[in-house]
Amino acid sequence: MSLEVSDLDVHYGRTRALRRVSLSVAPGQTLGVIGETGSGKSTLARAVVGLVRPSAGRITVDGEEVTRYRARQWRALRRRGVVQYVFQDPLRSLDPDVTVEDSIVEPLLIQGRPRREAADRARRLAARVHLDEELLSRLPGELSGGQRQRVTVARALVTDPRVVILDEPVSALDAANRVRALELLKQLRDAGTALVFISHDLGSVAGVADRIAVLYQGGIVEEGPARTVVNAPRHPYARLLVGSAPTLRSAAADRAQREELRELLQNIGGPA
Amino acid sequence: MALLSLRDVRIHDGVGGRDLVHGVSFELSPGKVVGIVGESGSGKTLTCRAVLGILPEHFRVSGGGIELDGRDVATLTRKEWTALRGGTVGAVFQDPASYLNPSLRVGPQIAEVVRVKKGLGRRDARRRAVELLGAVRLRDPERVYQRYPHELSGGMLQRVLIAAAIAADPRVLIADEATTALDVTVQAEILDLLADLRERTGLALVVVSHDLAVVAQLCDEVLVLRAGETVEQGPVERILYEPRHEYTRLLIDQHERYGLDRFRELDHVA
């Protein structure tokens, strides 16, 4: 497994933000994690990148147990580039004073690879993410939102990571760029990279994920092949989520069914 | 007769010295829903603001005409506009919190609208405000009445704003990206509420969104706007099944190839 999380608990003080979360992603597989406000989605994203410490459970990245890693060990792990991250707002994750090329190859330069090799690699990655080569010499502020997002993806790929964690990677993009970004993610997956696509938006996740996990009040209430989760969800919350997602052809649930599910959820409360 | 009709509306930006909306036309009858789909910069919000008579400074309707309940809005005085807003046309927008005073409880803010627009006394206005909070399906309206905006979730705040928007019994409600910032389950609650209000009260709706699917669920007619141009317009079924413009096809692709519809389509074929 490229990433394996088992029985993960995270507490903020007395609040239990994640409860016994287990998931795994194999090479070349995309796992979509759906969560709405307060579901623990951001906590999960932060936990698997070493930004919050779990109170119980295990995280394994490419066979290496990282659960108890200190900040220094996480930095070393990041330097090796085994696991990479793409976040929602590319403008904030790119240094405004650093050219696109330097941003992309920074992880290689930190590893001490020669400049010429890095520049060559930047050009190949730009082609791979459909970024015009001439944009490599620009600053992030001179790029459109969609182009900036492609830069962050190129940077995430520069170290040939085993796992890429994507936190809301397409939420800020318009229709055309969203479709391009999702197409790019499919290509990455087909090239063997394991992807974890974390988002509140079931629609875009369903577009690329092989498997989908639904996070609700800190716990995973549904997990399975994307097609099964979309067509035959079992947990009431998963049913409400699927039945609420806007689709073009008739909705999965009608108003009365949604109302029933809302009532049901009110009564059963969160996951144990 | 049409409650709201736009005829080739053009909107001019006096500072930029150019038109930003190049001719938008549609008619809205009681109980009907028109959807406007477009991204930021498409002119959809400017069009809504023109209908509400609240275009930002330097912007003006430079061509065509807007009729609201049979009246050409270009001839309205400020006082007449004030009466029409709320009484004939109401609106809700993307960020509900910014339309409420954070230091006042939400109930009295709605009661104030009722008092001004309907001329009710304080006690009756309060009773009506609680009724409205119930009408937008807020649980325990008496309790919500006493809450400050920061004590309510985004979905609850949007319901409060809808309550305020329908306080003076408008016949048209404009929802401009009213569910964009909300979780999808909450978005569905708000869209269900709008459909419900339409059925119960005959309220006509203008639903504006960047997401074709949001609009498609609710609307009879759809306009697709891009860079101030109407690139496609027609009954929702025609738009979904026989899109003519490339951009509309992209909006459909987003769902059919890269969204939930990709599973539904395949199952349908199988």
Side-chain angles (χ1 to χ4, degrees), chain B residues 107-122 124-130 132 163-164 166-168:
Chain B
Q109 299 192 53
I110 297 174
E112 178 67 10
V113 175
V114 175
R115 224 172 47 78
V116 172
K117 293 282 180 184
K118 302 294 276 184
L120 295 186
R122 282 184 191 282
D124 286 340
R126 185 190 195 283
R127 191 179 311 129
R128 177 74 184 130
V130 173
L132 285 162
I166 62 172

Side-chain angles (χ1 to χ4, degrees), chain A residues 36-37 174-176 178-179 182-183 186 200 202-204 206-209 226-227 230-231 237 240-242 244-252 255 258 262-263 266, chain B residues 39 139 183-189 192 195-196 199 211-214 216-217 240-241 247 250-267:
Chain A
E36 295 192 317
T37 310
D174 63 19
R178 182 177 291 227
V179 164
L182 292 174
E183 195 54 55
K186 281 185 176 176
H200 70 283
L202 178 61
S204 59
V208 290
R227 173 179 299 271
V230 168
N231 285 323
Y237 175 74
L240 179 63
L241 187 73
V242 172
S244 296
T247 59
L248 289 181
R249 321 300 187 198
S250 64
R255 257 190 280 167
R258 279 196 289 269
R262 284 173 199 136
E263 289 290 333
Q266 286 278 331
Chain B
E39 280 158 1
R139 285 163 201 267
D183 279 334
V184 71
T185 51
V186 182
Q187 162 166 284
E189 285 177 26
D192 287 351
D196 191 42
E199 273 165 26
D211 186 349
L212 178 59
V214 165
Q217 271 177 25
L240 291 185
Y241 291 97
Y247 179 64
L250 174 76
L251 296 177
I252 292 174
D253 256 13
Q254 202 185 322
H255 290 277
E256 284 195 340
R257 293 185 49 212
Y258 303 94
L260 284 186
D261 284 285
R262 88 179 163 126
F263 298 115
R264 302 247 162 79
E265 274 293 294
L266 290 171
D267 288 348

Side-chain angles (χ1 to χ4, degrees), chain A:
Chain A
M1 285 293 158
S2 302
L3 175 72
E4 198 153 17
V5 171
S6 44
D7 289 330
L8 195 71
D9 267 31
V10 172
H11 283 81
Y12 294 123
R14 285 202 190 145
T15 311
R16 194 175 177 195
L18 287 183
R19 39 188 90 218
R20 299 183 66 92
V21 168
S22 298
L23 43 90
S24 62
V25 202
Q29 204 186 50
T30 298
L31 172 73
V33 180
I34 309 290
E36 295 192 317
T37 310
S39 63
K41 165 180 66 110
S42 311
T43 302
L44 179 62
R46 291 167 65 81
V48 294
V49 305
L51 295 173
V52 289
R53 262 180 103 74
S55 35
R58 273 162 59 100
I59 304 171
T60 313
V61 178
D62 198 28
E64 184 176 339
E65 187 177 345
V66 299
T67 323
R68 300 281 148 216
Y69 269 17
R70 309 241 155 233
R72 183 174 45 80
Q73 292 168 294
W74 272 108
R75 274 199 300 277
L77 189 71
R78 281 195 278 265
R79 220 166 8 243
R80 278 190 287 135
V82 177
V83 54
Q84 290 285 6
Y85 325 99
V86 174
F87 293 106
Q88 177 171 0
D89 184 355
L91 198 51
R92 258 192 272 165
S93 50
L94 293 172
D95 187 331
D97 299 322
V98 173
T99 65
V100 167
E101 176 172 327
D102 287 355
S103 284
I104 292 175
V105 301
E106 193 187 11
L108 291 184
L109 298 179
I110 292 174
Q111 288 178 350
R113 309 271 275 278
R115 181 87 219 187
R116 173 171 303 198
E117 181 199 323
D120 192 45
R121 184 108 175 91
R123 274 195 300 281
R124 272 184 287 147
L125 277 169
R128 191 158 166 212
V129 302
H130 309 292
L131 194 71
D132 268 348
E133 205 180 301
E134 62 184 57
L135 297 179
L136 287 172
S137 56
R138 306 267 180 89
L139 294 174
E142 302 171 304
L143 270 51
S144 74
Q147 290 168 337
R148 282 199 292 266
Q149 188 61 289
R150 274 172 261 154
V151 173
T152 59
V153 172
R155 179 165 70 169
L157 296 179
V158 77
T159 56
D160 281 324
R162 299 298 167 85
V163 192
V164 181
I165 315 283
L166 304 126
D167 189 1
E168 302 284 3
V170 302
S171 298
L173 303 178
D174 63 19
N177 281 308
R178 182 177 291 227
V179 164
R180 291 175 85 158
L182 292 174
E183 195 54 55
L184 177 61
L185 295 184
K186 281 185 176 176
Q187 288 171 16
L188 291 186
R189 180 194 57 188
D190 296 345
T193 314
L195 304 178
V196 181
F197 185 156
I198 303 174
S199 174
H200 70 283
D201 177 18
L202 178 61
S204 59
V205 168
V208 290
D210 305 298
R211 297 182 73 80
I212 289 179
V214 177
L215 200 57
Y216 177 61
Q217 298 187 356
I220 288 178
V221 295
E222 185 105 13
E223 202 272 339
R227 173 179 299 271
T228 311
V229 172
V230 168
N231 285 323
R234 286 161 307 172
H235 188 276
Y237 175 74
R239 278 154 63 200
L240 179 63
L241 187 73
V242 172
S244 296
T247 59
L248 289 181
R249 321 300 187 198
S250 64
D254 62 26
R255 257 190 280 167
Q257 288 170 319
R258 279 196 289 269
E259 200 47 52
E260 244 171 71
L261 288 168
R262 284 173 199 136
E263 289 290 333
L264 188 60
L265 280 172
Q266 286 278 331
N267 297 331
I268 62 169

Side-chain angles (χ1 to χ4, degrees), chain B residues 17-174:
Chain B
R18 60 196 182 104
D19 283 357
L20 293 182
V21 174
H22 315 274
V24 170
S25 305
F26 66 85
E27 290 205 339
L28 183 63
S29 311
K32 292 287 180 192
V33 186
V34 164
I36 303 179
V37 186
E39 280 158 1
S40 55
S42 65
K44 57 187 169 42
T45 294
L46 280 178
T47 305
C48 290
R49 295 186 74 123
V51 170
L52 292 161
I54 52 168
L55 278 174
E57 225 181 313
H58 312 303
F59 290 86
R60 64 186 170 81
V61 176
S62 56
I66 301 172
E67 275 187 19
L68 202 49
D69 208 11
R71 306 187 59 183
D72 180 354
V73 302
T75 66
L76 294 176
T77 64
R78 237 167 109 173
K79 207 169 157 191
E80 289 170 320
W81 256 127
T82 308
L84 225 56
R85 270 195 300 266
T88 303
V89 58
V92 279
F93 300 97
Q94 180 167 345
D95 180 16
S98 63
Y99 295 89
L100 289 165
N101 184 332
S103 55
L104 297 176
R105 298 174 198 274
V106 299
Q109 299 192 53
I110 297 174
E112 178 67 10
V113 175
V114 175
R115 224 172 47 78
V116 172
K117 293 282 180 184
K118 302 294 276 184
L120 295 186
R122 282 184 191 282
R123 188 167 303 175
D124 286 340
R126 185 190 195 283
R127 191 179 311 129
R128 177 74 184 130
V130 173
E131 249 174 53
L132 285 162
L133 291 172
V136 295
R137 303 263 186 266
L138 280 160
R139 285 163 201 267
D140 204 349
E142 278 286 354
R143 238 184 76 215
V144 174
Y145 188 96
Q146 300 293 345
R147 292 278 176 259
Y148 289 96
H150 74 264
E151 298 175 303
L152 301 177
S153 70
M156 292 169 94
L157 284 174
Q158 196 57 285
R159 282 169 199 267
V160 168
L161 262 288
I162 292 173
I166 62 172
D169 305 312
R171 306 179 62 199
V172 180
L173 181 70
I174 297 177

